[in-house]
Structures are given as C-alpha cells and as structure tokens.
Amino acid sequence: MNASKISAYLVVSITLLLPSTIYSQFAPPFLIKSNTGSITNIITADLNNDNLNDLIITKKFSATSLISYYLNQGGLNFGPEVTITTGNSQITNISVGDFDNNSWLDIVSIGDATNSVTLYMNTALSFSTQVLDTFNFFESDIGVTDIDNDNDLDIVAIGGTTFKVYYNNGMASFSSQTIPGPIEDFFDITINDIDADGFNDVITGGSNISVYKNNNGILSYDMVRSNQIPSTFNLLVRLVDIDSDGDKDLFSENNNSSGIRWMQNDGNGNFTNLQIIDPTAINIRSSTFEDFDNDNDLDFIIIKNFNLYLYTNDGFGNFSSPILFQDPSTIISVIESNDMNNDGLADIIWSADLSIQENNTTLSNKENLVDNELIKIYPNPSTEDLFIESPQKGILTVFNTQGQMIFKNLPVNKGVNHIKIKLEPQVYFFHIYLDTDTIIKRVLIK
C-alpha cells in the first residue's frame, strides 16, 4: 500500500509502551522453609500493616497447619511460620480483604476440610473464625471484590456445581445469593470489569468457561459472551490486559488442558482472536502475571513439567519462547509473585521447598517515558481521518492485529498532524517512533 498524505492538525490519549531492552534477571532462590511439598496455595498481603507484603499459605493433608503465614521482616527475610487454623484438607483456596473496615486484612477460605466458606477476622494479627456457609463440593475457588459498588468487599465463591455471592453490609455481616447458570463443574475463578461499565464481572473455568455479567451489582450468566469462547475442560482462567490496550483480555488453558492461550477483549467484554501461546504447556494449574522485565507490559510465569518458565510479552500479546529459569531438584507445584522488598520489581515465591527469588532487573525504562498526555490521537474509534498530536517529530508505522505491516515510515511532525490513510474496518496498532521512545496506540477503524 502507498502512504497517504499527512498534513498538520490533531488530539489523542495514548497507551505508552517501550521495547524490552533486557529480560528480568532473578537471583538464586533463597530458602524460606524446606520440606513444604504439602503447600497448595501462596498469596501475598500485608497482614500486620508494616508496608511489607507477607506470605499466606495453605497446605493439604497437614494435621498441624491448614492456613498459616510468614511475616516479612524486610530484606527478603521472613519470620517463622504462624498457624491460623488447623485441619485436614486436600483443596483449600484463600483470598484476603478488609471485610469489617478495621484497617486489618482478613482472610476468607473455601475448602473440603469442613466443606465451608470461612472468615478469619484479623485484629492486630489476632484471628477469630466465622463460618459463612457450608455446601458439598470438591474443587473450589474464592475471590474478593466489591460486586455492588457500595464501598465494601463482597465474596464470590464456587464449589462443585454451586456459584454464590456473599454481599457484605460493611461490618462483615453477609447475605448470600446463589447465581444460576448452566450445570457444570467449577474449578477456577477470575474477576474484573470486562466492559468498562464500572462493575466487576466474573469468569469461571472448569468443565466450561462461563461469563457472568455484573448488571448494577447483580451477577447473571451471559450466554452470548460465553458462547464466544471455545471451551471444554479449561481449568485455568485469568483476566489480564495482555495487549496493553486498557481492557482485560482472557488468558486460559486451551481445551482439554492442551496448552495455554489468550483471547482479545474488544473493550465491550466480547472475546475473539484466539491465539495459542504454547501448545506444549499441559495441565497448567498455577500462573502469575507481572511486568517482570520492567518494559511496561505483562509477562507471565507458569509451572511447566514442574519447573518455572518465563514468557515475555512484546506489548501486543506476542510472547517469547518459554525461558526455563528454575529447575530445582524438588517438584514445583505453586507460584506467586509480588514486590516483596519494595524496590518496585516483582519477585517470585514458589514451593515445594518454600523459596523466594529476587528480581534483579537493573535497567529501567521508566526514566525515558513520554508523558501520556503529550501524544494524542482522535477520534478513536474513527472512520479514516485521524489526527495525531506529537511533542516532537517522528515516524508512524501501522500494523494489524496479525502483526502485518500496513503502512510504514509515515512522517509525523511536531504539533498536530492530519492523517488520511485508507484502512479496512478492524483494530490496528499505530507505532510512533520518536527520538527516545516508541509509543504504541490501539486504534479502531469502523
């Protein structure tokens, strides 16, 4: 195709991305506790309000500790394990939130030790127990969010074939509602706002992937959106912004646990353009998403063949080949990530042999970022005519979602540029190459 004219005039808000300059480097693992093969979950949260993320774990088949924590003492050092509750369980999942607004994070669990949803209310690290509900299940999961936007945290729980929401009155007093939908075995849950209406929606994984739309605080099964997603026994689901366009895409296992994939969100909660990331990643049950290489997009780590593999993102949802960076003698079964030493970089925590690895990325691109208000594009969505306002001259190249170059080396002048190019109706990525930065914007042509 031939480049069209560019004259001067324009305005836009922009998503900024910079090319990755260096992969994240992880320090050798630091052992927190050995012989921890019974750990089934690890989450991070600041339990004692000291501005350091602590570790909270669950175990299976342990008579001495079902849920416990390790306090972060700084410098990636952790105190001894402290038991919150005991019990004998195979499956226990947990989440955290301040349910009674006392400024201490509480814990909620679901599991087969007692077939219950249980609260552990935290006051200065003194935990009291409150059973919310009991029902029969085996596989289960639980999440915390403000479903009805009333400024307190509600609970979303799945177990067996049951899906429930527990609405909080702000003082940790809950009323429950069973959410109807297709009869299926639930396994995993992910929560986020898929259509930018200000209400968090829910997607479940299991025998099928199902979308539950939040309509002003009430969840209901969305058959249309669910049917857009090919699904048969997809036991891992995550809502994350993979292509850096500001909406939440769907990362999941492929059908019958045969690989990992993602589907693009069109901004209105519709998922299309299924892309297989790695067909050899089989039966993935634990993953974690962070910007591990500090290049302003989300990468992820999974446990594949009981080892840790990193997949780095180019900002558009194109991932590197899996990078093996941890191959211990023990079997790794669970992974989590967070900034554990307040250096702005995501560290990783894993088990068996509960260990932490510091993220030692030394090169940060943050100093070179152009203010996102200085580059503007409008209207977006558009028909054909677009305006780009730039603080300096540069070059524009246009790609489609398959990575094919549609236009290249179109000049962008300092100031307002009127861009007239003929594009078929679809999503495009505009790459604007400035002297110090590369800026990428998702543009919808109607």
Side-chain angles (χ1 to χ4, degrees):
M1 296 186 182
N2 294 323
S4 301
K5 299 179 185 174
I6 301 185
S7 52
Y9 316 156
L10 183 132
V11 185
V12 209
S13 96
I14 203 131
T15 300
L16 298 182
L17 300 168
L18 293 175
S20 173
T21 312
I22 187 170
Y23 287 142
S24 62
Q25 302 294 319
F26 293 98
F30 176 79
L31 180 66
I32 300 172
K33 189 173 183 178
S34 59
N35 299 318
T36 55
S38 60
I39 290 179
T40 54
N41 280 286
I42 304 171
I43 65 173
T44 60
D46 183 7
L47 287 178
N48 59 342
N49 291 339
D50 63 352
N51 296 314
L52 292 169
N53 284 313
D54 309 304
L55 301 180
I56 310 167
I57 66 170
T58 64
K59 295 180 182 178
K60 64 179 179 180
F61 306 137
S62 172
T64 58
S65 177
L66 179 64
I67 302 174
S68 57
Y69 64 84
Y70 296 81
L71 290 181
N72 189 341
Q73 298 177 336
L76 300 182
N77 295 304
F78 292 85
E81 181 180 6
V82 179
T83 297
I84 295 175
T85 188
T86 60
N88 197 346
S89 170
Q90 180 166 348
I91 303 297
T92 303
N93 287 295
I94 53 176
S95 191
V96 297
D98 183 8
F99 300 114
D100 55 1
N101 292 305
N102 71 345
S103 299
W104 294 87
L105 287 177
D106 312 303
I107 300 171
V108 62
S109 74
I110 187 170
D112 63 346
T114 57
N115 283 336
S116 67
V117 176
T118 305
L119 284 173
Y120 302 92
M121 305 303 297
N122 180 8
T123 302
L125 292 182
S126 176
F127 290 89
S128 60
T129 303
Q130 174 186 343
V131 175
L132 282 186
D133 200 1
T134 59
F135 50 92
N136 292 324
F137 57 81
F138 179 63
E139 300 292 355
S140 61
D141 201 5
I142 199 158
V144 171
T145 190
D146 186 0
I147 287 289
D148 50 3
N149 284 2
D150 63 350
N151 298 313
D152 54 46
L153 291 175
D154 310 305
I155 298 168
V156 180
I158 53 173
T161 58
T162 302
F163 182 179
K164 287 190 175 183
V165 175
Y166 300 87
Y167 290 97
N168 188 358
N169 70 352
M171 299 300 294
S173 179
F174 293 85
S175 59
S176 67
Q177 178 186 16
T178 300
I179 309 300
I183 298 176
E184 57 185 296
D185 290 322
F186 293 113
F187 192 94
D188 198 18
I189 193 169
T190 184
I191 304 170
N192 223 309
D193 183 2
I194 64 173
D195 58 351
D197 66 350
F199 286 87
N200 280 335
D201 312 292
V202 176
I203 293 183
T204 61
S207 54
N208 300 291
I209 295 178
S210 296
V211 178
Y212 291 83
K213 183 72 183 68
N214 188 340
N215 300 295
N216 297 313
I218 303 297
L219 289 175
S220 60
Y221 174 69
D222 191 321
M223 181 182 295
V224 173
R225 286 185 171 91
S226 298
N227 288 341
Q228 295 171 348
I229 305 169
S231 62
T232 305
F233 290 101
N234 316 81
L235 304 185
L236 177 73
V237 289
R238 297 289 183 271
L239 283 169
V240 286
D241 185 6
I242 288 177
D243 54 5
S244 308
D245 63 353
D247 54 41
K248 304 305 178 185
D249 308 299
L250 179 61
F251 175 92
S252 72
E253 275 194 317
N254 197 23
N255 291 352
N256 298 306
S257 298
S258 59
I260 48 176
R261 70 189 194 189
W262 74 281
M263 296 184 70
Q264 189 175 47
N265 188 342
D266 67 355
N268 297 311
N270 302 298
F271 298 97
T272 58
N273 193 23
L274 188 153
Q275 301 175 53
I276 302 295
I277 301 171
D278 183 355
T280 68
I282 308 300
N283 296 320
I284 304 302
R285 299 293 176 266
S286 187
S287 66
T288 185
F289 281 81
E290 294 282 356
D291 182 10
F292 291 109
D293 53 6
N294 202 22
D295 65 347
N296 304 295
D297 54 46
L298 284 179
D299 315 300
F300 70 90
I301 297 172
I302 61 171
I303 301 170
K304 177 181 174 183
N305 301 324
F306 306 112
N307 300 316
L308 295 183
Y309 286 85
L310 169 67
Y311 298 71
T312 60
N313 188 354
D314 68 354
F316 304 105
N318 302 306
F319 289 92
S320 68
S321 298
I323 302 165
L324 174 64
F325 70 92
Q326 189 54 240
D327 183 9
S329 57
T330 58
I331 293 175
I332 299 179
S333 59
V334 61
I335 184 170
E336 176 64 301
S337 62
N338 208 331
D339 181 5
M340 303 304 290
N341 56 356
N342 292 340
D343 65 351
L345 299 171
D347 311 300
I348 57 171
I349 310 99
W350 48 268
S351 186
D353 284 347
L354 182 61
S355 302
I356 185 168
Q357 288 185 255
E358 182 181 11
N359 189 337
N360 282 335
T361 299
T362 56
L363 179 59
S364 172
N365 291 315
K366 294 180 179 179
E367 296 178 355
N368 297 323
L369 286 177
V370 172
D371 189 326
N372 64 353
E373 295 302 322
L374 297 182
I375 299 279
K376 300 179 180 179
I377 298 178
Y378 78 84
N380 188 12
S382 178
T383 52
E384 288 185 6
D385 285 9
L386 286 168
F387 294 89
I388 297 179
E389 185 175 341
S390 176
Q392 55 186 267
K393 68 178 182 179
I395 297 294
L396 169 65
T397 298
V398 179
F399 295 87
N400 64 17
T401 56
Q402 284 73 48
Q404 298 169 322
M405 184 183 297
I406 307 302
F407 290 94
K408 68 176 181 178
N409 297 336
L410 305 181
V412 174
N413 296 316
K414 180 179 180 180
V416 177
N417 299 261
H418 183 196
I419 300 179
K420 294 182 178 180
I421 52 179
K422 184 173 179 60
L423 293 170
E424 297 297 324
Q426 59 176 292
V427 172
Y428 295 90
F429 292 99
F430 282 37
H431 292 225
I432 303 171
Y433 301 98
L434 305 177
D435 289 340
T436 57
D437 300 298
T438 298
I439 297 171
I440 301 165
K441 177 63 179 177
R442 181 180 184 269
V443 176
L444 174 61
I445 301 297
K446 291 185 174 181

